[in-house]
């Protein structure tokens, strides 16, 4: 389970995230939606203990991320596929992560197969990878410890349509095994296809949180709902 409670992060006079609260339960894929600058990445980084909040906080599996024993094996995350070591091969990147997590080397072949990277591709340096291949390797890193929570920031970037369908199936299978999945994206249509829960954020504030049916309401279209909510937020901001 992921629980975010009154999370606020200020940079000077700017509220990157403003009193954000939501919960994602086990067995759920939650789509975390908003445009660039809405506060998605800041929220995910705060959940993972990488960005200290100004106030409020977050717990994963009932405790702050930093208090989890061997947290990388409990919580799989992908925030930036370019953070992988470009001079090492995909397999070497995974081997180092497996060593740090205490994961057996046989798991490396399993996750490479899960994400569709061949042995030949895994032996190439990451610096030669396309963005889509980096995303697949990043997801493999997130899955390495067979975690019960997945936190993924824009994992569909660089994937072709077949890759997006593959990722959708991967996340649904993870949720069916009881995994808690928080998926950040601006690809509204694709998130609608996979999510049990939609959390829409704009200007650092939660605009909507609920099942797709509840969030969509009478419009029946996620794009229309999002535009309506963001327009309302913009008017409120101008009025204040």
């Amino acid at each position: 389970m992921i629980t975010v409670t009154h999370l606020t992060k200020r940079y000077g006079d700017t509220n990157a995230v403003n009193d954000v609260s939501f919960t994602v339960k086990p067995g759920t894929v939650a789509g975390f939606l908003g445009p660039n600058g809405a506060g998605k990445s800041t929220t995910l980084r705060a959940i993972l203990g990488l960005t200290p909040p100004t106030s409020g906080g977050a717990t994963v599996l009932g405790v702050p991320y930093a208090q989890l024993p061997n947290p990388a094996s409990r919580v799989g995350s992908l925030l930036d596929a370019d953070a992988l070591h470009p001079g090492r091969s995909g397999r070497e990147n995974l081997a180092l992560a497996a060593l740090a997590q205490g994961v057996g080397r046989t798991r490396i072949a399993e996750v490479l197969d899960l994400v569709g990277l061949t042995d030949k591709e895994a032996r190439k340096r990451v610096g030669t990878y396309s963005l889509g291949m980096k995303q697949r390797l990043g997801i493999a890193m997130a899955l390495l410890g067979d975690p019960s929570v997945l936190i993924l920031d824009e994992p569909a970037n660089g994937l072709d349509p077949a890759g997006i369908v593959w990722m959708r199936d991967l996340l649904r299978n993870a949720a069916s095994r009881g995994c808690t999945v928080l998926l950040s994206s601006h690809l509204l249509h694709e998130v609608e296809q996979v999510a049990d829960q939609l959390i829409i954020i704009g200007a650092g504030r939660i605009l909507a949180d609920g099942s797709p049916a509840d969030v969509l309401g009478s419009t029946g279209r996620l794009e229309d709902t999002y535009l309506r909510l963001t327009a309302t937020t913009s008017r409120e901001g101008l009025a204040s």
Side-chain angles (χ1 to χ4, degrees):
M1 179 180 288
I2 299 169
T3 303
V4 179
T5 307
H6 301 297
L7 179 68
T8 295
K9 178 61 181 180
R10 296 190 186 93
Y11 294 99
D13 295 331
T14 301
N15 272 339
V17 176
N18 187 7
D19 196 29
V20 163
S21 297
F22 61 83
T23 297
V24 184
K25 296 180 178 179
T28 299
V29 177
F32 193 34
L33 295 163
N36 292 336
K40 301 189 304 297
S41 294
T42 300
T43 301
L44 298 188
R45 289 180 61 83
I47 294 171
L48 292 167
L50 299 173
T51 296
T54 304
S55 61
T59 60
V60 186
L61 300 172
V63 298
Y65 178 85
Q67 294 181 17
L68 289 168
N70 195 3
S73 68
R74 308 284 302 281
V75 182
S77 63
L78 170 61
L79 298 186
D80 182 4
D82 283 330
L84 297 163
H85 196 300
R88 299 186 184 277
S89 70
R91 183 176 290 277
E92 287 170 340
N93 272 273
L94 287 169
L96 288 172
L99 182 64
Q101 295 179 33
V103 176
R105 294 182 67 88
T106 56
R107 180 63 178 164
I108 296 173
E110 292 173 2
V111 295
L112 285 170
D113 185 59
L114 277 173
V115 302
L117 286 175
T118 66
D119 184 66
K120 181 179 179 180
E121 291 168 334
R123 294 184 183 279
K124 291 182 178 179
R125 291 185 179 183
V126 170
T128 68
Y129 280 17
S130 67
L131 177 56
M133 289 174 66
K134 289 179 182 178
Q135 292 291 80
R136 287 178 182 265
L137 181 61
I139 294 171
M141 295 278 280
L143 296 172
L144 193 59
D146 195 18
S148 54
V149 175
L150 282 173
I151 298 176
L152 308 174
D153 193 6
E154 303 280 1
N157 281 353
L159 296 180
D160 59 19
I164 291 174
V165 172
W166 158 79
M167 186 188 67
R168 184 192 309 162
D169 292 341
L170 182 77
L171 298 182
R172 285 268 28 116
N173 288 336
S176 71
R177 299 193 304 272
C179 190
T180 304
V181 181
L182 180 58
L183 165 69
S184 163
S185 182
H186 63 274
L187 298 174
L188 307 181
H189 176 69
E190 289 306 327
V191 170
E192 185 182 4
Q193 301 299 310
V194 70
D196 308 295
Q197 177 183 357
L198 298 176
I199 305 165
I200 299 180
I201 187 171
R205 294 192 297 154
I206 298 299
L207 305 178
D209 178 7
S211 69
D214 290 340
V215 171
L216 293 177
S218 61
T219 67
R221 283 172 50 81
L222 184 54
E223 291 89 345
D224 295 341
T225 301
Y226 180 72
L227 289 171
R228 172 172 54 79
L229 290 168
T230 50
T232 300
T233 301
S234 297
R235 289 196 298 272
E236 290 174 350
L238 289 172
S240 63

